[in-house]
């Protein structure tokens, strides 16, 4: 069983909050980004690695690679799993990745979305995805930083 300490939806993927604040808070030593675009973009990977300390490992897998490889994680790997969208999180859950709780950090506003929290904006597809994750028994908490009081997204959508 992979040692996933935190699963986070954050459209910025790796940045200071993930690389330092959350990773230190949960005691992680590996940040795994599950994202089809970034898995094949070495420039983006290099830019994100700049936010990470030398003591932290990073991996950049496609969604399918994550599903295929996560169960081979070593016991010593304490993982922060980061995805860009709720749809990616749902694919992982349906693919057998053992995710019981998702931290929703940042989902930026764009055309067609409505803001439901300070850093979270959703459209109808996002809402339907969160409802499906909820039905699958995944806890869904909006929480930017560890010392902030979390809020169940289902109370807001």
């Amino acid at each position: 069983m992979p040692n996933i300490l935190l699963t986070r939806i954050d459209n910025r993927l790796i940045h200071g909050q993930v690389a330092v604040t959350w990773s230190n808070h949960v005691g992680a030593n590996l940040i795994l980004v599950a994202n089809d675009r970034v898995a094949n973009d070495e420039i983006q990977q290099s830019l994100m690695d700049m936010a990470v300390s030398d003591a932290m490992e990073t991996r950049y897998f496609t969604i399918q690679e994550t599903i295929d490889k996560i169960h081979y994680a070593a016991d010593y790997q304490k993982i922060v799993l980061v995805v860009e969208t709720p749809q990616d999180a749902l694919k992982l859950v349906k693919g057998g990745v053992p995710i019981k709780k998702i931290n929703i950090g940042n989902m930026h506003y764009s055309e067609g979305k409505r803001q439901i929290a300070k850093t979270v904006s959703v459209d109808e597809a996002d809402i339907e995805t969160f409802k499906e994750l909820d039905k699958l028994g995944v806890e869904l908490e909006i929480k930017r930083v560890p010392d902030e009081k979390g809020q169940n997204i289902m109370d807001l959508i």
Side-chain angles (χ1 to χ4, degrees):
M1 187 72 116
N3 197 0
I4 301 170
L5 305 178
L6 174 73
T7 301
R8 181 174 170 95
I9 296 171
D10 195 319
N11 56 359
R12 300 171 296 174
L13 299 173
I14 295 179
H15 55 90
Q17 279 180 355
V18 170
V20 179
T21 308
W22 278 106
S23 296
N24 288 338
H25 177 73
V26 299
N29 59 18
L30 171 65
I31 300 173
L32 170 55
V33 174
N35 182 275
D36 291 344
R37 179 180 43 81
V38 172
N40 298 304
D41 188 336
E42 290 182 17
I43 293 171
Q44 282 294 332
Q45 292 174 24
S46 295
L47 290 171
M48 284 190 261
D49 282 345
M50 285 196 243
V52 179
S53 77
D54 291 339
M56 184 72 62
E57 291 185 51
T58 55
R59 299 282 187 282
Y60 299 92
F61 292 163
T62 65
I63 298 298
Q64 190 59 52
E65 276 181 297
T66 304
I67 291 166
D68 295 342
K69 294 179 178 181
I70 194 75
H71 294 284
Y72 296 106
D75 290 341
Y76 72 86
Q77 291 176 311
K78 295 177 173 78
I79 304 168
V80 169
L81 176 59
V82 184
V83 297
E84 187 174 19
T85 67
Q87 291 76 17
D88 287 346
L90 180 60
K91 288 176 192 170
L92 293 176
V93 170
K94 285 184 168 183
V97 178
I99 297 170
K100 302 291 178 228
K101 181 176 182 176
I102 297 176
N103 165 262
I104 303 153
N106 287 284
M107 294 177 59
H108 289 311
Y109 176 82
S110 62
E111 190 68 36
K113 293 194 176 218
R114 65 182 170 94
Q115 186 174 359
I116 60 168
K118 188 173 183 177
T119 60
V120 178
S121 295
V122 296
D123 60 19
E124 285 307 311
D126 296 330
I127 292 169
E128 290 309 310
T129 302
F130 283 125
K131 286 179 180 178
E132 193 167 348
L133 284 162
D134 182 60
K135 283 181 190 163
L136 292 170
V138 178
E139 186 181 337
L140 302 163
E141 181 180 56
I142 297 173
K143 191 171 184 177
R144 288 180 313 128
V145 292
D147 61 356
E148 183 177 84
K149 184 179 185 320
Q151 188 166 19
N152 186 330
I153 197 168
M154 300 311 291
D155 296 339
L156 302 173
I157 56 176

